Amino acid sequence: MEADFVIIGAGSAGSAMTYRLAESGASVLVIEHGGTDAGPLIQMPAALSYPMNMKRYDWGYQSEPEPYLDGRRLATPRGKVIGGSSSINGMVYVRGHARDFDTWAEMGADGWAYKDVLPYYKRMETWHDGGHGGDPSWRGTDGPLHVTRGPRDNPLFQAFVDAGAQAGYEVTGDYNGEKQEGFGPMEQTVWKGRRWSAANAYLKPALKRENCDLVHGLVDRIEIEEGRATGVRLVDGRVIKARREVVLSAGSINSPKILLQSGVGPADELAALGIEVKADRRGVGKNLQDHLELYLQMAASQPITLYKHWNLISKALIGAQWLFTKQGLGASNQFESAAFIRSKAGVEYPDIQYHFLPIAVRYDGQAAAEGHGFQAHVGPMRSPSRGEVTLRSKDPREAPKILFNYMSQEKDWEDFRTCIRLTREIFAQDAFKPYVKHEIQPGAGVQSDEELNGFIKEHVESAYHPCGTCRMGRADDPMAVVDPENRVIGVEGLRLADSSIFPQITNGNLNAPSIMSGEKASDHILGKTPLPASNAEAWISPRWESAQR
């Protein structure tokens, strides 16, 4: 078995690269350990909590006991299915803020500033505004990835935006356009009522070509001979040869794991496990970042929330309507209003994100005992805490060690307390007066810094946005793992693109920038001239230095 390009991982970036490389006429083999995404549990948007908790679709990773969270082990779901995590995620679509990418360029990812990546976002999208505002000139019109907005029929979605405006915040018609900052509609990767994963958008069309095929298997290691990647060895002993290049795209946990198994990483760590060192790269597995969030729950004074559907009969009816028509409540992820705000004066661009949900429900799917309610998921965007991914042993079947070091900096605690206090202020606005009964969680009695810290320590959860573990940077940066053309530094014929290359975590959910990284990397791999840079200028609050809103 051999091909021009061998891609490891049919996830968000891997599917995009499979599509673009196959489109060029080159032969492509893509290796995926997970199976099919067929069936309503993945394809029905409202069923999003199921695949994330199923061993069939999820690698089932957990963090090590987190030292700053009283030893809690946090779930770290990663997609083990075609489409990768885009097949099990919440389908929220956020490009990231312009300044995120400008920061990447400043950190050594030359050619990845906002002006450079915006053309790739446009190339990958077909945008449907649904009549909810936004500027089409910032968006794509004919890309493989359909981006839509929920119907926002529930009055609570508008109440959230109105309350933000009443509290003095900006309103935005499109946080993925010129102006991220403010309250407005949330976007989702849903098309014609189905989850529009990277598998549906990119992989399945690519596999229809004669020059592209899928190989099922678990990777043992990348074969590196005399400093060059020549192919990929699977645990069953098969070797798949790459005539041109091996492309690693296994995600922020499994990409560093596979590099380490292949002898690319910190030499002392590899030697301690008895792995032959092929390239001493200290940064492999380091720089691990994530978004944490918690949710503030309010009891509702009117029976207008989704709680009225929280019973077997209603769920069966919603499921049946979706199966036959791809319409109704089953056709949305229910995250239909959002906000990005700044925590204080002197912060140049948003550092807090909101997802609003018109039901009070826990992460494990347990509805609040109070019945009708609603909640805002909130968390800081740029935590200074950093963790690492390391190997437990050289056995490729064994899960890696994942330690995030969540909440290891005092700023993390300060930021989360700010998030809670700002959210309470939003829920106290007149727009919510007709709907609010009382606060369920944390509860009105939790007010002091100490009480809030206790609540945060117990309730904070991952937003499932791990990234940064194979950081992109200049070739002379000792902690960089890939250069700005996605070449793994120190190994010929090996590229890498997925969320592991992010030098710093971007604002919001990471699926869009992960797919974008695959789109842009495809041009580098094919030796194409990158798309012409954009001269669009993103909106920054003229008052950011002096005012929080």
Side-chain angles (χ1 to χ4, degrees):
M1 288 171 77
E2 65 174 29
D4 294 331
F5 295 106
V6 178
I7 298 175
I8 302 171
S12 301
S15 294
M17 291 188 288
T18 301
Y19 179 96
R20 296 297 178 192
L21 297 179
E23 182 183 56
S24 77
S27 59
V28 180
L29 285 172
V30 59
I31 302 165
E32 174 55 52
H33 182 49
T36 175
D37 64 347
L41 287 183
I42 280 184
Q43 298 300 330
M44 176 174 160
L48 62 92
S49 63
Y50 293 100
M52 200 181 283
N53 295 301
M54 293 172 68
K55 281 194 158 39
R56 179 178 171 186
Y57 300 126
D58 172 31
W59 285 89
Y61 294 148
Q62 272 193 321
S63 78
E64 294 298 293
E66 289 290 342
Y68 302 92
L69 294 176
D70 284 348
R72 287 172 59 204
R73 300 182 72 132
L74 271 62
T76 310
R78 295 287 88 199
K80 186 179 69 175
V81 55
I82 62 164
S85 296
S86 77
S87 290
I88 68 168
N89 70 355
M91 291 158 282
V92 173
Y93 183 82
V94 184
R95 287 173 165 181
H97 195 281
R99 285 288 183 267
D100 291 325
F101 302 103
D102 294 344
T103 302
W104 285 14
E106 287 162 15
M107 294 173 78
D110 302 318
W112 290 75
Y114 187 62
K115 66 181 184 352
D116 305 306
V117 303
L118 180 56
Y120 287 96
Y121 277 124
K122 289 178 151 184
R123 182 170 90 177
M124 74 195 222
E125 287 177 354
T126 294
W127 180 64
H128 309 266
D129 73 342
H132 290 306
D135 181 353
S137 70
W138 286 75
R139 308 305 300 269
T141 55
D142 53 5
L145 191 74
H146 288 279
V147 179
T148 58
R149 298 172 175 203
R152 304 177 83 210
D153 292 336
N154 193 301
L156 289 166
F157 288 125
Q158 190 59 45
F160 182 68
V161 175
D162 291 344
Q166 288 168 358
Y169 292 103
E170 296 287 331
V171 171
T172 179
D174 182 7
Y175 62 69
N176 283 316
E178 179 184 11
K179 181 180 179 183
Q180 186 188 73
E181 187 168 333
F183 284 67
M186 191 157 238
E187 299 199 324
Q188 46 187 275
T189 47
V190 173
W191 177 234
K192 293 187 174 172
R194 288 170 60 209
R195 174 191 288 274
W196 204 245
S197 65
N200 285 333
Y202 288 99
L203 186 69
K204 290 170 190 176
L207 290 172
K208 288 183 179 150
R209 295 179 177 270
E210 287 181 4
N211 56 332
C212 182
D213 219 342
L214 190 66
V215 178
H216 186 78
L218 181 65
V219 171
D220 178 2
R221 64 179 184 269
I222 297 161
E223 298 274 81
I224 299 170
E225 296 167 20
E226 295 174 2
R228 183 175 183 85
T230 57
V232 180
R233 180 178 292 276
L234 305 182
V235 292
D236 60 13
R238 287 180 292 168
V239 176
I240 300 163
K241 292 276 187 194
R243 287 190 286 264
R244 286 170 68 176
E245 292 191 327
V246 175
V247 183
L248 178 54
S249 189
S252 56
I253 307 299
N254 285 334
S255 282
K257 176 177 181 279
I258 290 168
L259 283 181
L260 293 167
Q261 285 163 199
S262 309
V264 181
D268 51 342
E269 285 180 27
L270 297 172
L273 291 169
I275 296 170
E276 184 189 345
V277 179
K278 301 285 189 175
D280 181 7
R281 297 307 306 171
R282 292 211 313 268
V284 176
K286 310 303 183 231
N287 192 47
L288 174 61
Q289 301 164 58
D290 192 13
H291 288 141
L292 283 177
E293 63 179 18
L294 40 76
Y295 43 88
L296 273 75
Q297 291 183 328
M298 310 299 284
S301 55
Q302 294 187 40
I304 58 168
T305 75
L306 295 178
Y307 182 72
K308 59 176 172 279
H309 302 293
W310 211 254
N311 57 74
L312 287 176
I313 292 171
S314 210
K315 285 182 180 179
L317 289 171
I318 289 167
Q321 181 188 16
W322 181 83
L323 277 171
F324 292 114
T325 70
K326 299 295 182 281
Q327 292 176 338
L329 283 170
S332 171
N333 59 6
Q334 311 307 327
F335 288 116
E336 296 176 15
S337 279
F340 289 92
I341 64 172
R342 292 175 297 110
S343 60
K344 60 188 176 196
V347 174
E348 187 188 14
Y349 67 102
D351 59 343
I352 293 173
Q353 180 187 18
Y354 285 102
H355 300 66
F356 179 79
L357 195 59
I359 184 171
V361 63
R362 293 199 333 221
Y363 279 102
D364 60 8
Q366 296 295 309
E370 310 264 350
H372 279 284
F374 47 91
Q375 65 196 37
H377 297 234
V378 63
M381 289 293 94
R382 294 186 286 283
S383 166
S385 294
R386 296 289 181 271
E388 63 176 8
V389 174
T390 52
L391 296 182
R392 286 177 204 282
S393 75
K394 58 200 276 189
D395 181 357
R397 294 175 190 82
E398 194 164 2
K401 281 173 73 171
I402 306 166
L403 182 69
F404 286 94
N405 276 319
Y406 288 127
M407 306 298 291
S408 62
Q409 309 293 317
E410 185 47 47
K411 185 179 188 299
D412 292 319
W413 298 92
E414 183 188 317
D415 287 349
F416 260 108
R417 293 192 301 267
T418 299
C419 285
I420 294 170
R421 288 171 174 146
L422 293 175
T423 308
R424 282 173 162 166
E425 185 193 5
I426 292 159
F427 280 147
Q429 300 299 316
D430 286 345
F432 275 116
K433 285 282 196 301
Y435 308 116
V436 167
K437 197 159 138 198
H438 59 259
E439 185 178 300
I440 302 172
Q441 176 179 301
V446 181
Q447 294 290 342
S448 70
D449 284 6
E450 198 177 344
E451 289 164 340
L452 290 174
N453 284 351
F455 171 77
I456 293 162
K457 185 174 281 192
E458 188 179 343
H459 290 277
V460 78
E461 293 283 350
S462 172
Y464 311 137
H465 301 161
C467 65
T469 47
C470 300
R471 179 166 79 72
M472 189 192 312
R474 297 188 181 97
D476 59 1
D477 178 347
M479 292 305 285
V481 178
V482 303
D483 74 9
E485 294 197 355
N486 299 87
R487 295 176 289 221
V488 174
I489 301 165
V491 183
E492 293 285 311
L494 179 59
R495 307 260 186 168
L496 198 171
D498 55 34
S499 65
S500 70
I501 69 170
F502 299 2
Q504 179 175 285
I505 197 164
T506 55
N507 269 9
N509 310 58
L510 299 192
N511 192 236
S514 299
I515 296 172
M516 179 278 291
S517 75
E519 279 274 12
K520 189 170 182 321
S522 306
D523 281 0
H524 295 310
I525 294 165
L526 292 169
K528 289 185 169 183
T529 304
L531 296 177
S534 166
N535 56 10
E537 286 286 328
W539 187 90
I540 298 283
S541 170
R543 301 188 307 280
W544 71 268
E545 288 171 294
S546 58
Q548 182 251 334
R549 62 189 91 165

